[in-house]
Amino acid sequence: AQYDAMVVKLNELKALITFLINLTPEERQALPKMGDSKQPFVTKALQYAQSFPQIAPPFINLAELGKDRGLALTLLQFIQLVKPWLQAIEDTELAVGSEAYVAALAIYNSAAQAAKANVPGASAIYADLKTHFEQASAPAPAPAPNP
């Protein structure tokens, strides 16, 4: 239920920012970056061009430049709000995923021991779980820590 509520809220947020685009890694790399250090440069260039229109190339739309600069700064502020939250989401997923994996490894190791002891059904369970570790050169999983 919480997940469904979060998805609804995220979709509401996405509906507010319909102008977002996606770039390929190549496009991202090819674009000149404004970044924190270039923001004052862009602001000054815009101010100079507005005060002294004769220095602005005729193909530059100063109103659009002002909008682009403003949106870039607004999106940067939004990124600064969201980044710590996204980091916390990723950290939480990593921590609970790790706990689940360690518990599953304990079950796997227990199934291996049960199979060795001829516990009914344990061999099939161990064989099934073991397939997740059978790769060309993958080492066997480390035993689960004993809590």
Side-chain angles (χ1 to χ4, degrees):
Q2 280 184 319
Y3 175 80
D4 291 341
M6 291 186 306
V7 169
V8 167
K9 294 295 183 187
L10 285 174
N11 285 330
E12 289 173 7
L13 182 59
K14 283 177 14 181
L16 292 174
I17 48 178
T18 58
F19 53 85
L20 297 180
I21 62 170
N22 291 301
L23 300 172
T24 66
E26 295 79 19
E27 290 170 328
R28 290 177 63 84
Q29 188 171 1
L31 288 174
K33 316 299 186 283
M34 180 168 72
D36 290 340
S37 66
K38 299 296 189 275
Q39 288 174 21
F41 167 76
V42 173
T43 299
K44 280 185 184 181
L46 175 59
Q47 289 169 344
Y48 280 132
Q50 289 169 332
S51 298
F52 301 93
Q54 67 274 19
I55 68 163
F59 56 86
I60 299 293
N61 181 326
L62 296 181
E64 286 301 312
L65 171 56
K67 287 179 186 178
D68 286 348
R69 180 193 150 277
L71 180 56
L73 294 175
T74 299
L75 289 173
L76 179 63
Q77 290 173 333
F78 186 74
I79 289 167
Q80 290 169 342
L81 286 172
V82 172
K83 247 184 191 176
W85 186 55
L86 180 59
Q87 183 68 53
I89 292 170
E90 290 173 343
D91 289 348
T92 303
E93 183 276 331
L94 179 64
V96 298
S98 178
E99 287 178 18
Y101 182 62
V102 167
L105 283 174
I107 292 167
Y108 171 75
N109 289 326
S110 180
Q113 293 303 316
K116 285 181 186 176
N118 293 321
V119 173
S123 292
I125 294 168
Y126 174 69
D128 185 34
L129 293 175
K130 185 177 179 180
T131 64
H132 293 275
F133 299 104
E134 293 174 351
Q135 294 177 358
S137 61
N146 215 357

